[in-house]
Each structure stands twice: as structure tokens, then as C-alpha cells.
Amino acid sequence: MIIIRVGIFQVLGNFEYENVRYIIEDKAYSHSFSAIAIKEWLLDSGIKADVFMLIPESLAESIGEDPAHLIENREEFEKAAKEKTGVDAEFRIIPSVGKYNRLEFAGSAENTAIDIFRVACNEELDVVIGDVSTGLNIYSVILVEALRRYATYKKLEDLLQQSRDFEMKLAFIPPILRKRKEAEIEEVNVEMQNVNVKAIFDTPETNVSRLCTRGTDNREINTNFGGKLKILKDIVGNVKIAVNAVKMNTPLAFYHKEVINFDYDVEGAERTLWDVIDFALKPRFDGSNKIWRLLLHGNNVFNTFFSIAMAKSFQEFVKTLPEVAEAEELIRVFSDLYEKVGVEANVRFLQRDIDGLRENVPDGFRGCYAECFDGSGGSKDEKRNFFAHSGFLREITIVERQGDKIFVRWDENSLKKVRNWLKDPK
């Protein structure tokens, strides 16, 4: 039985919200928070969901006389926020941006987006609903962006398999008017829209050495995590080569670990990235009312996560392959793969070159593909001909025919050269 995990996210702008009657598909739910109303509506449909109330840390001043202590102790802050609202939900503190009353938060929108992204990742959600009915300021915009990036991450994680569904929705309500009489409860309709996030099959451009925007921050990160970041860099590099191998129609690359290698602890590398983020987002105090953190580089951080997601998908794909490629199996497996990632045109070229193997390799032959020809037609431009013929460059391709089966691999002495070609196919 497949369990679908649903998460509803709502940002609070304060701790005092009046009761409202929320109408969802002609059903009424009275509550202070629309996220709870959505949870109850889903439960009426037999769907369980968790609500995540996101609390900007600037609200610490509304709870106690020592906001700095609460900001440093998130669990205590979350517990206090839950007691303040009396709501049955999960509470998560998120970094604030800007100046609020006595406190100044020297953060960034990207820091906050990454922290919200972390909540969704930790919960491994299959459906996310962003409720933007409260906190209508920078945080609601950040929430939408963070959930979009989580949706991209989840789709890339399953890109080559496409074995599971993922949904993202946004929930809206019209402005709530002040109640005209003390006994009146405002009634509003909740509108929900599907958000279609496409995961494009391309190399996420990132620089693992620049996970922060400032040079001083990067030096601090590299000093503390430099050795562990090397594995992340290796994974990112292999994802780039794997994407190029698919786009350029060179399927044999996936049968040679010297060319593409996903024998890494990808989950462990991802934990390292989270350790870096924990380190960067730890609040620091300069003795005044200013709270600051390292400033994370949003594009590099998220694209590194996207590379990790793609590495997971490639890793699962490679596990399904036999040790040695067989021509007919190449057509079957990679036709399916090419269609899934939107490079269907490659199927025709791969079929053409597989047909060439069938035509030119005699039964019982075992050796270099070039030996199947009369010595003419050698490659003047090896790299160009390599990509022009699905990677079956005669001089480096080793073939063995056993009846209808043709086994194909590259000569071991050529693998370093092939890897370099795939790093930069141009």
C-alpha cells in the first residue's frame, strides 16, 4: 500500500487571528487558520494531511522578553508559538529578513527559502499545498518559491523512472473584512489552484565551492567542509556527463564506470550539504540587536540539490543495466529513456547505428569494430564521428556477435578520452 504524504504550509504574520467560516467546495469549516480548514476538508475526503505553520523569527518579540534566547533555541520557540496559538499543527521557525521593532535580521530571501525547502525535504512530502492567505508579504512569496523548488527536486529525483506522482497546489482567499458586529463571523471561499512545475532534463549549473554569496562566507564554509565537499563536486560532475551522454546519444557511457560513476553515497553527500546549510543558517549575534547569518547562494545551493536528485535517479537507472551492453537491449532501454526525458529524435539515430552493427558484424566475430571493414573510412575527426554514430566509433568499439546477439563495449584504453569528450561535447 502506497502512503501519500500531504503537507499544508501557512506563514503566520502574528498570533492573533479571528475565527472565519471557510467555504471549500460547498462545505463550511470554522477556524482561525485556513490551513486547518483545508486539513479538515481533506480529512472529510479520506486524506490525511499535516499542517506546517511557518513562524518568522521576528515574532519572538511577541512571545517573551528575551527574543534572542528563543531565536537561538528553535524547539523552545516552536513550543511557545504552538501554546500561543493553541493550534494542533507542526510549528517551524524560519529566518526573518529586515528590521522589526528592536531587532534587525541581516538575512536574505534565499536563506529563508532554503529553510522552508528543508522542512518539505525532511517530511518527504508527495503533495504540498501553499496557503498564502496570511503573512501576505515577502514570506508568502518566498513560500511559493521554496515549494516550487521542492516540486522540481521531487520530479528530478524520479525523472528517469517516472514511477510516482507529485502535486503542488496554492490556496487563496479574498481579503477578510473586519467583522461588522461582535457576533458575526466572516465567510470566505477558499480557492485552490494546481501548480504545474516542469523538471527540465538539463545540467543544473552550480558551483559547489561557492555555496554562499560572499567570499568570506565561502572561505568559512570551505575551511570547515572542504574535504567533504569533494564528493559533492564529483557527483555534480558525473551528473553533467550523464546528461550529456543522454542528449548526445552515447548509451555505452552508462556501462563504463570510468566514464560515468554513480558508486557514491549520494544520500550521505546530501546530508553533508544539509550540514553546510545548518552551519550557514545558525544565528549569530553581534552584541547589539542585529542577528546575522552566512548568506547562502540560492542558485548554487538549489542546483546542487537538483544535481543530487538527478544523481539518485541515474543511480537507480544504472542499477537496472547488465554489466555488458547488448545491441537489442540498448534499443529497448534507451528508447524508453529518451522518450521520458524528451529526446525522442535520438531513438532514430540509435536504431540506425544498431542496424549498422547487425549489417557489418559477422556471426562469431569478436574484436575491434574497425576490423569489420576493409580499412577505408577511418575517422579523421574522432570526436565528431564518435557523436555522429551513437558513440560506436569504429576504432574504440569492441564488438562480439553470438547469433542474433551483439555485445558492445568501448576499449578500456579509450575511456579517459571518451569521458573528456562527454565533459565538453562541443
Side-chain angles (χ1 to χ4, degrees):
M1 180 179 177
I2 299 175
I3 299 175
I4 304 298
R5 291 218 58 206
V6 181
I8 307 164
F9 292 76
Q10 185 168 9
V11 181
L12 297 195
N14 59 66
F15 291 114
E16 297 177 2
Y17 288 90
E18 296 177 349
N19 244 24
V20 174
R21 184 177 291 110
Y22 296 102
I23 308 300
I24 310 175
E25 292 189 353
D26 298 326
K27 292 184 178 181
Y29 303 88
S30 294
H31 209 283
S32 301
F33 301 101
S34 49
I36 302 297
I38 294 169
K39 176 183 177 179
E40 292 177 357
W41 169 69
L42 288 172
L43 192 59
D44 285 347
S45 303
I47 302 170
K48 292 184 179 181
D50 294 308
V51 173
F52 299 93
M53 295 293 188
L54 304 177
I55 314 296
E57 58 193 4
S58 56
L59 291 181
E61 286 192 290
S62 303
I63 292 180
E65 295 181 359
D66 190 358
H69 172 78
L70 288 175
I71 292 168
E72 277 193 296
N73 297 273
R74 276 194 169 192
E75 289 186 7
E76 185 178 335
F77 192 173
E78 289 165 358
K79 182 179 178 182
K82 186 168 187 172
E83 290 174 353
K84 187 87 171 175
T85 60
V87 173
D88 182 19
E90 298 293 324
F91 283 73
R92 298 290 185 269
I93 310 303
I94 58 175
S96 287
V97 183
K99 193 170 184 178
Y100 300 88
N101 298 325
R102 295 175 297 159
L103 299 177
E104 180 181 354
F105 299 89
S108 70
E110 294 288 18
N111 277 9
T112 306
I114 291 166
D115 213 27
I116 296 173
F117 175 80
R118 182 219 309 263
V119 176
C121 286
N122 286 347
E123 300 297 329
E124 298 183 356
L125 300 170
D126 304 296
V127 179
V128 291
I129 301 173
D131 185 337
V132 294
S133 60
T134 55
L136 291 178
N137 47 36
I138 186 174
Y139 300 109
S140 291
V141 176
I142 293 171
L143 170 62
V144 173
E145 187 58 29
L147 294 184
R148 280 183 182 275
R149 287 170 170 176
Y150 177 68
T152 301
Y153 171 85
K154 292 297 288 185
K155 290 194 172 186
L156 288 174
E157 202 175 37
D158 190 46
L159 185 63
L160 307 185
Q161 291 74 32
Q162 297 185 11
S163 59
R164 58 180 184 262
D165 294 325
F166 178 84
E167 291 183 51
M168 175 180 170
K169 300 175 183 288
L170 293 180
F172 310 86
I173 63 170
I176 296 176
L177 303 175
R178 292 181 180 276
K179 50 189 183 181
R180 293 174 289 279
K181 295 180 181 177
E182 191 64 31
E184 290 184 352
I185 297 178
E186 190 68 31
E187 184 174 287
V188 295
N189 288 304
V190 178
E191 178 184 349
M192 276 189 277
Q193 295 181 356
N194 291 319
V195 179
N196 184 18
V197 177
K198 293 186 179 297
I200 299 173
F201 185 73
D202 205 351
T203 303
E205 292 296 330
T206 186
N207 185 341
V208 178
S209 296
R210 293 196 69 248
L211 294 175
C212 292
T213 59
R214 297 181 299 213
T216 53
D217 292 353
N218 283 314
R219 284 192 289 275
E220 192 170 344
I221 293 293
N222 290 322
T223 297
N224 285 276
F225 298 94
K228 293 183 178 180
L229 292 179
K230 184 182 182 304
I231 296 176
L232 273 173
K233 293 175 184 177
D234 289 345
I235 291 171
V236 167
N238 277 283
V239 166
K240 179 179 180 179
I241 293 172
V243 170
N244 288 343
V246 172
K247 285 187 170 184
M248 302 303 292
N249 184 29
T250 57
L252 286 184
F254 290 95
Y255 294 81
H256 293 279
K257 291 180 181 179
E258 297 85 349
V259 179
I260 297 174
N261 182 15
F262 285 111
D263 281 352
Y264 291 97
D265 179 5
V266 177
E267 300 281 354
E270 188 170 38
R271 287 193 295 272
T272 293
L273 184 54
W274 283 122
D275 288 343
V276 170
I277 289 167
D278 286 341
F279 180 83
L281 294 185
K282 183 177 176 61
R284 307 179 186 204
F285 302 84
D286 64 358
S288 63
N289 291 325
K290 186 175 182 179
I291 299 162
W292 63 281
R293 295 173 165 89
L294 305 189
L295 296 182
L296 291 166
H297 192 302
N299 282 342
N300 284 344
V301 169
F302 280 117
N303 282 345
T304 301
F305 274 114
F306 296 161
S307 288
I308 289 171
M310 293 181 77
K312 292 177 184 178
S313 189
F314 276 121
Q315 201 171 51
E316 288 303 308
F317 171 70
V318 170
K319 287 178 182 177
T320 67
L321 301 178
E323 287 189 18
V324 181
E326 193 278 319
E328 196 63 35
E329 189 72 3
L330 280 176
I331 283 290
R332 185 187 67 79
V333 171
F334 282 87
S335 293
D336 179 60
L337 176 65
Y338 291 161
E339 289 174 8
K340 284 178 177 175
V341 300
V343 291
E344 297 93 335
N346 284 352
V347 176
R348 179 165 60 91
F349 297 114
L350 180 59
Q351 183 69 65
R352 176 203 65 191
D353 293 316
I354 293 291
D355 289 343
L357 290 172
R358 292 197 187 100
E359 181 181 343
N360 295 302
V361 180
D363 191 15
F365 178 83
R366 180 179 183 181
C368 183
Y369 189 28
E371 296 173 19
C372 297
F373 299 87
D374 59 8
S376 61
S379 302
K380 294 180 180 178
D381 186 336
E382 282 193 332
K383 184 177 179 180
R384 186 187 69 80
N385 283 340
F386 172 81
F387 288 117
H389 296 285
S390 305
F392 303 136
L393 183 67
R394 296 177 186 178
E395 292 83 352
I396 68 170
T397 302
I398 307 299
V399 294
E400 179 181 353
R401 184 159 191 166
Q402 300 173 8
D404 291 335
K405 292 187 179 296
I406 303 176
F407 298 95
V408 195
R409 61 181 176 85
W410 286 322
D411 177 68
E412 291 183 1
N413 295 323
S414 69
L415 299 181
K416 183 177 180 181
K417 176 169 61 177
V418 168
R419 181 176 170 87
N420 288 332
W421 285 344
L422 285 168
K423 280 183 179 179
D424 183 15
K426 296 179 181 178

